[in-house]
Amino acid sequence: MLARNNLSPFGVAACLVIAGRCAYALTLSQPATSLAQTPVARCEFFLLMLKSHERASDYKALSAIEQVDPTKVTIEFEMRNKAHAPSQSIGSCEFDRDRRHITFFTLDGRRSQID
């Protein structure tokens, strides 16, 4: 007897949305062809994409620090939410040796690797 999947239509839709955002975020780590796509810009966009699921909050980058060897970008964000006082969080991106792909990222103290 096969087990039935008990996910509601809403649960399935939520899973697909999350999977789609993760796949889209992975494509953002591709190499840039223009000068506008610096490691800082790529990291900021990548981290904002990951934080975008918190719809009631607005995020604004306050500062960014780029370390050259190995390439690592650390960004400090301010979060604004109508229900709470502004708060700050820190995210970072580590790039591979040729600066083409984001290999690790840290967001709100949690570190993750991109395969």
Side-chain angles (χ1 to χ4, degrees):
M1 183 163 145
L2 296 174
R4 287 190 66 171
N5 188 348
N6 290 328
L7 284 177
S8 68
F10 178 73
V12 172
C15 290
L16 291 174
V17 167
I18 291 169
R21 284 189 179 174
C22 289
Y24 181 67
L26 287 174
T27 63
L28 298 177
S29 66
Q30 296 301 316
T33 57
S34 70
L35 295 176
Q37 289 289 343
T38 64
V40 171
R42 289 172 55 207
C43 183
E44 182 178 351
F45 188 72
F46 178 80
L47 294 175
L48 286 173
M49 224 10 230
L50 293 175
K51 286 186 165 284
S52 68
H53 70 279
E54 300 173 27
R55 296 186 195 278
S57 301
D58 279 336
Y59 287 90
K60 174 183 170 188
L62 297 176
S63 67
I65 299 170
E66 183 177 354
Q67 176 184 326
V68 177
D69 191 23
T71 303
K72 179 179 178 180
V73 174
T74 303
I75 300 175
E76 184 177 1
F77 292 97
E78 179 181 66
M79 180 183 80
R80 291 194 173 268
N81 184 327
K82 291 180 181 177
H84 302 289
S87 64
Q88 293 182 353
S89 64
I90 295 177
S92 66
C93 301
E94 295 176 36
F95 292 79
D96 62 4
R97 286 188 129 348
D98 63 2
R99 299 169 60 143
R100 294 174 55 110
H101 296 67
I102 296 171
T103 55
F104 288 93
F105 69 93
T106 305
L107 192 56
D108 299 330
R110 292 179 298 249
R111 181 176 167 91
S112 298
Q113 180 176 2
I114 300 174
D115 293 324

Short mmCIF file of all heavy atoms in Angstrom, two decimals, residues 50-93:
data_model
loop_
_atom_site.label_atom_id
_atom_site.label_comp_id
_atom_site.label_asym_id
_atom_site.label_seq_id
_atom_site.Cartn_x
_atom_site.Cartn_y
_atom_site.Cartn_z
N LEU A 50 16.55 36.33 -0.87
CA LEU A 50 16.28 35.35 0.19
C LEU A 50 15.38 35.93 1.27
O LEU A 50 14.57 35.23 1.85
CB LEU A 50 17.59 34.85 0.79
CG LEU A 50 18.47 34.02 -0.14
CD1 LEU A 50 19.79 33.71 0.55
CD2 LEU A 50 17.78 32.74 -0.55
N LYS A 51 15.52 37.21 1.56
CA LYS A 51 14.71 37.85 2.60
C LYS A 51 13.34 38.28 2.10
O LYS A 51 12.49 38.67 2.88
CB LYS A 51 15.46 39.06 3.16
CG LYS A 51 16.62 38.69 4.06
CD LYS A 51 17.17 39.94 4.68
CE LYS A 51 18.06 39.63 5.84
NZ LYS A 51 17.35 39.26 7.04
N SER A 52 13.10 38.21 0.80
CA SER A 52 11.86 38.74 0.24
C SER A 52 10.61 37.99 0.68
O SER A 52 9.50 38.48 0.49
CB SER A 52 11.93 38.77 -1.29
OG SER A 52 11.93 37.46 -1.80
N HIS A 53 10.76 36.81 1.28
CA HIS A 53 9.58 36.08 1.74
C HIS A 53 8.92 36.76 2.93
O HIS A 53 7.78 36.49 3.25
CB HIS A 53 9.94 34.63 2.07
CG HIS A 53 10.78 34.50 3.30
ND1 HIS A 53 12.15 34.69 3.29
CD2 HIS A 53 10.45 34.20 4.58
CE1 HIS A 53 12.61 34.52 4.50
NE2 HIS A 53 11.61 34.22 5.31
N GLU A 54 9.61 37.67 3.59
CA GLU A 54 9.04 38.42 4.70
C GLU A 54 8.40 39.69 4.14
O GLU A 54 8.97 40.76 4.18
CB GLU A 54 10.13 38.74 5.71
CG GLU A 54 10.78 37.51 6.30
CD GLU A 54 11.97 37.83 7.16
OE1 GLU A 54 12.01 38.94 7.73
OE2 GLU A 54 12.85 36.98 7.27
N ARG A 55 7.21 39.56 3.62
CA ARG A 55 6.56 40.63 2.86
C ARG A 55 6.24 41.87 3.70
O ARG A 55 6.17 42.96 3.18
CB ARG A 55 5.28 40.10 2.22
CG ARG A 55 5.56 39.03 1.21
CD ARG A 55 4.28 38.65 0.49
NE ARG A 55 4.42 37.41 -0.23
CZ ARG A 55 4.96 37.30 -1.42
NH1 ARG A 55 5.43 38.35 -2.01
NH2 ARG A 55 5.06 36.14 -2.02
N ALA A 56 6.04 41.71 4.98
CA ALA A 56 5.66 42.86 5.80
C ALA A 56 6.87 43.72 6.16
O ALA A 56 6.72 44.76 6.78
CB ALA A 56 4.99 42.38 7.08
N SER A 57 8.06 43.31 5.75
CA SER A 57 9.28 44.01 6.13
C SER A 57 9.95 44.63 4.90
O SER A 57 9.92 44.07 3.82
CB SER A 57 10.26 43.05 6.80
OG SER A 57 9.68 42.47 7.94
N ASP A 58 10.56 45.78 5.12
CA ASP A 58 11.38 46.42 4.10
C ASP A 58 12.83 46.33 4.55
O ASP A 58 13.14 46.59 5.72
CB ASP A 58 11.02 47.90 3.94
CG ASP A 58 9.80 48.11 3.08
OD1 ASP A 58 9.50 47.22 2.26
OD2 ASP A 58 9.17 49.16 3.24
N TYR A 59 13.71 45.98 3.63
CA TYR A 59 15.13 45.89 3.94
C TYR A 59 15.88 46.93 3.15
O TYR A 59 15.60 47.18 1.98
CB TYR A 59 15.67 44.50 3.59
CG TYR A 59 15.23 43.45 4.56
CD1 TYR A 59 14.06 42.73 4.35
CD2 TYR A 59 15.96 43.19 5.71
CE1 TYR A 59 13.64 41.78 5.25
CE2 TYR A 59 15.54 42.25 6.62
CZ TYR A 59 14.38 41.55 6.39
OH TYR A 59 13.96 40.61 7.28
N LYS A 60 16.83 47.55 3.81
CA LYS A 60 17.65 48.56 3.18
C LYS A 60 19.10 48.28 3.58
O LYS A 60 19.40 48.11 4.76
CB LYS A 60 17.22 49.94 3.67
CG LYS A 60 18.07 51.07 3.20
CD LYS A 60 17.58 52.37 3.82
CE LYS A 60 18.55 53.49 3.56
NZ LYS A 60 18.17 54.69 4.31
N ALA A 61 20.00 48.24 2.59
CA ALA A 61 21.41 48.03 2.88
C ALA A 61 21.98 49.29 3.50
O ALA A 61 21.80 50.39 2.98
CB ALA A 61 22.16 47.66 1.62
N LEU A 62 22.66 49.14 4.65
CA LEU A 62 23.27 50.28 5.32
C LEU A 62 24.75 50.42 4.96
O LEU A 62 25.25 51.53 4.77
CB LEU A 62 23.13 50.14 6.84
CG LEU A 62 21.72 50.13 7.39
CD1 LEU A 62 21.75 49.89 8.89
CD2 LEU A 62 21.02 51.44 7.08
N SER A 63 25.43 49.30 4.91
CA SER A 63 26.86 49.33 4.59
C SER A 63 27.26 48.01 3.96
O SER A 63 26.60 46.98 4.15
CB SER A 63 27.69 49.57 5.85
OG SER A 63 27.60 48.46 6.73
N ALA A 64 28.33 48.06 3.19
CA ALA A 64 28.86 46.86 2.55
C ALA A 64 30.38 46.92 2.60
O ALA A 64 30.98 47.96 2.35
CB ALA A 64 28.39 46.76 1.11
N ILE A 65 30.98 45.79 2.95
CA ILE A 65 32.44 45.68 3.01
C ILE A 65 32.84 44.52 2.11
O ILE A 65 32.31 43.41 2.23
CB ILE A 65 32.91 45.41 4.45
CG1 ILE A 65 32.48 46.56 5.36
CG2 ILE A 65 34.42 45.20 4.49
CD1 ILE A 65 32.68 46.28 6.84
N GLU A 66 33.78 44.79 1.20
CA GLU A 66 34.28 43.75 0.31
C GLU A 66 35.70 43.39 0.69
O GLU A 66 36.57 44.25 0.75
CB GLU A 66 34.23 44.22 -1.15
CG GLU A 66 34.68 43.15 -2.12
CD GLU A 66 34.57 43.58 -3.58
OE1 GLU A 66 34.04 44.68 -3.83
OE2 GLU A 66 35.01 42.82 -4.44
N GLN A 67 35.90 42.12 0.97
CA GLN A 67 37.24 41.59 1.24
C GLN A 67 37.74 40.97 -0.06
O GLN A 67 36.99 40.26 -0.73
CB GLN A 67 37.14 40.52 2.34
CG GLN A 67 38.42 39.82 2.65
CD GLN A 67 38.19 38.72 3.68
OE1 GLN A 67 37.35 38.87 4.57
NE2 GLN A 67 38.93 37.65 3.54
N VAL A 68 38.99 41.20 -0.42
CA VAL A 68 39.46 40.82 -1.74
C VAL A 68 39.94 39.37 -1.84
O VAL A 68 39.55 38.66 -2.76
CB VAL A 68 40.58 41.78 -2.21
CG1 VAL A 68 41.13 41.36 -3.55
CG2 VAL A 68 40.04 43.19 -2.28
N ASP A 69 40.78 38.89 -0.94
CA ASP A 69 41.35 37.55 -1.11
C ASP A 69 41.18 36.73 0.15
O ASP A 69 41.89 36.99 1.13
CB ASP A 69 42.82 37.65 -1.49
CG ASP A 69 43.39 36.33 -1.93
OD1 ASP A 69 42.62 35.46 -2.37
OD2 ASP A 69 44.61 36.15 -1.84
N PRO A 70 40.30 35.79 0.20
CA PRO A 70 39.31 35.39 -0.80
C PRO A 70 38.16 36.40 -0.84
O PRO A 70 37.92 37.11 0.14
CB PRO A 70 38.82 34.03 -0.32
CG PRO A 70 39.01 34.08 1.16
CD PRO A 70 40.22 34.95 1.40
N THR A 71 37.47 36.44 -1.95
CA THR A 71 36.40 37.42 -2.13
C THR A 71 35.24 37.10 -1.19
O THR A 71 34.67 36.02 -1.24
CB THR A 71 35.92 37.45 -3.58
OG1 THR A 71 37.04 37.73 -4.42
CG2 THR A 71 34.86 38.52 -3.78
N LYS A 72 34.93 38.07 -0.34
CA LYS A 72 33.82 37.94 0.60
C LYS A 72 33.20 39.31 0.76
O LYS A 72 33.89 40.31 0.85
CB LYS A 72 34.30 37.43 1.95
CG LYS A 72 33.18 37.29 2.97
CD LYS A 72 33.69 36.76 4.28
CE LYS A 72 32.57 36.69 5.29
NZ LYS A 72 33.03 36.18 6.59
N VAL A 73 31.88 39.37 0.75
CA VAL A 73 31.14 40.62 0.91
C VAL A 73 30.27 40.49 2.15
O VAL A 73 29.55 39.50 2.31
CB VAL A 73 30.26 40.92 -0.33
CG1 VAL A 73 29.40 42.14 -0.10
CG2 VAL A 73 31.12 41.08 -1.57
N THR A 74 30.34 41.48 3.03
CA THR A 74 29.49 41.52 4.22
C THR A 74 28.62 42.77 4.13
O THR A 74 29.12 43.86 3.91
CB THR A 74 30.35 41.56 5.50
OG1 THR A 74 31.21 40.42 5.52
CG2 THR A 74 29.47 41.55 6.74
N ILE A 75 27.32 42.57 4.30
CA ILE A 75 26.36 43.66 4.16
C ILE A 75 25.52 43.76 5.43
O ILE A 75 25.03 42.75 5.94
CB ILE A 75 25.43 43.44 2.95
CG1 ILE A 75 26.25 43.36 1.68
CG2 ILE A 75 24.38 44.55 2.86
CD1 ILE A 75 25.45 43.04 0.44
N GLU A 76 25.38 44.98 5.93
CA GLU A 76 24.54 45.24 7.09
C GLU A 76 23.22 45.81 6.59
O GLU A 76 23.21 46.77 5.82
CB GLU A 76 25.22 46.22 8.04
CG GLU A 76 24.45 46.47 9.30
CD GLU A 76 25.20 47.39 10.26
OE1 GLU A 76 26.30 47.85 9.93
OE2 GLU A 76 24.64 47.66 11.33
N PHE A 77 22.11 45.21 7.01
CA PHE A 77 20.78 45.63 6.59
C PHE A 77 20.02 46.23 7.75
O PHE A 77 20.21 45.86 8.89
CB PHE A 77 19.96 44.42 6.10
CG PHE A 77 20.45 43.81 4.84
CD1 PHE A 77 21.28 42.70 4.87
CD2 PHE A 77 20.08 44.32 3.61
CE1 PHE A 77 21.74 42.13 3.71
CE2 PHE A 77 20.53 43.75 2.44
CZ PHE A 77 21.36 42.65 2.49
N GLU A 78 19.11 47.14 7.42
CA GLU A 78 18.14 47.62 8.39
C GLU A 78 16.78 47.10 7.96
O GLU A 78 16.41 47.23 6.79
CB GLU A 78 18.12 49.14 8.43
CG GLU A 78 17.09 49.68 9.41
CD GLU A 78 17.06 51.19 9.42
OE1 GLU A 78 16.67 51.77 8.39
OE2 GLU A 78 17.43 51.78 10.45
N MET A 79 16.07 46.49 8.88
CA MET A 79 14.74 45.97 8.60
C MET A 79 13.72 46.91 9.21
O MET A 79 13.83 47.30 10.38
CB MET A 79 14.56 44.58 9.20
CG MET A 79 13.19 43.99 8.93
SD MET A 79 12.93 42.40 9.71
CE MET A 79 12.57 42.90 11.36
N ARG A 80 12.73 47.29 8.42
CA ARG A 80 11.65 48.14 8.92
C ARG A 80 10.34 47.38 8.77
O ARG A 80 10.06 46.82 7.73
CB ARG A 80 11.59 49.45 8.15
CG ARG A 80 12.75 50.34 8.42
CD ARG A 80 12.48 51.75 7.92
NE ARG A 80 13.54 52.64 8.32
CZ ARG A 80 13.52 53.34 9.44
NH1 ARG A 80 12.50 53.25 10.25
NH2 ARG A 80 14.52 54.13 9.75
N ASN A 81 9.58 47.38 9.84
CA ASN A 81 8.30 46.72 9.88
C ASN A 81 7.37 47.63 10.66
O ASN A 81 7.73 48.13 11.71
CB ASN A 81 8.45 45.35 10.57
CG ASN A 81 7.18 44.56 10.56
OD1 ASN A 81 6.08 45.12 10.63
ND2 ASN A 81 7.31 43.26 10.49
N LYS A 82 6.18 47.85 10.15
CA LYS A 82 5.24 48.77 10.81
C LYS A 82 4.92 48.33 12.23
O LYS A 82 4.64 49.15 13.09
CB LYS A 82 3.96 48.89 10.00
CG LYS A 82 4.17 49.62 8.70
CD LYS A 82 2.87 49.72 7.92
CE LYS A 82 3.13 50.42 6.60
NZ LYS A 82 1.94 50.50 5.78
N ALA A 83 4.96 47.05 12.49
CA ALA A 83 4.59 46.54 13.81
C ALA A 83 5.74 46.58 14.82
O ALA A 83 5.52 46.47 16.01
CB ALA A 83 4.08 45.11 13.69
N HIS A 84 6.98 46.73 14.35
CA HIS A 84 8.14 46.67 15.24
C HIS A 84 9.08 47.84 14.97
O HIS A 84 9.06 48.44 13.90
CB HIS A 84 8.92 45.37 15.03
CG HIS A 84 8.10 44.15 15.25
ND1 HIS A 84 7.66 43.74 16.48
CD2 HIS A 84 7.63 43.24 14.37
CE1 HIS A 84 6.96 42.63 16.35
NE2 HIS A 84 6.92 42.30 15.08
N ALA A 85 9.93 48.12 15.95
CA ALA A 85 10.96 49.14 15.77
C ALA A 85 11.99 48.63 14.75
O ALA A 85 12.16 47.41 14.59
CB ALA A 85 11.64 49.41 17.10
N PRO A 86 12.68 49.53 14.06
CA PRO A 86 13.70 49.09 13.10
C PRO A 86 14.76 48.23 13.79
O PRO A 86 15.14 48.47 14.93
CB PRO A 86 14.31 50.40 12.61
CG PRO A 86 13.31 51.45 12.90
CD PRO A 86 12.56 50.99 14.10
N SER A 87 15.22 47.22 13.07
CA SER A 87 16.28 46.36 13.61
C SER A 87 17.32 46.15 12.51
O SER A 87 17.07 46.46 11.35
CB SER A 87 15.71 45.02 14.08
OG SER A 87 15.16 44.32 12.99
N GLN A 88 18.47 45.63 12.89
CA GLN A 88 19.54 45.42 11.93
C GLN A 88 19.91 43.95 11.87
O GLN A 88 19.79 43.22 12.85
CB GLN A 88 20.76 46.25 12.29
CG GLN A 88 20.49 47.74 12.15
CD GLN A 88 21.70 48.58 12.46
OE1 GLN A 88 22.72 48.07 12.91
NE2 GLN A 88 21.59 49.87 12.23
N SER A 89 20.34 43.53 10.68
CA SER A 89 20.84 42.17 10.50
C SER A 89 22.05 42.23 9.57
O SER A 89 22.27 43.22 8.88
CB SER A 89 19.75 41.25 9.92
OG SER A 89 19.39 41.67 8.64
N ILE A 90 22.82 41.16 9.57
CA ILE A 90 24.03 41.10 8.76
C ILE A 90 23.99 39.84 7.91
O ILE A 90 23.63 38.77 8.37
CB ILE A 90 25.29 41.09 9.65
CG1 ILE A 90 25.40 42.42 10.40
CG2 ILE A 90 26.55 40.86 8.83
CD1 ILE A 90 26.55 42.50 11.36
N GLY A 91 24.37 40.00 6.65
CA GLY A 91 24.48 38.87 5.73
C GLY A 91 25.81 38.96 5.02
O GLY A 91 26.41 40.04 4.91
N SER A 92 26.30 37.82 4.53
CA SER A 92 27.55 37.83 3.78
C SER A 92 27.51 36.78 2.69
O SER A 92 26.75 35.82 2.76
CB SER A 92 28.75 37.60 4.70
OG SER A 92 28.70 36.30 5.24
N CYS A 93 28.34 37.00 1.67
CA CYS A 93 28.49 36.06 0.56
C CYS A 93 29.98 35.78 0.37
O CYS A 93 30.78 36.71 0.39
CB CYS A 93 27.95 36.65 -0.74
SG CYS A 93 26.22 37.12 -0.69
#
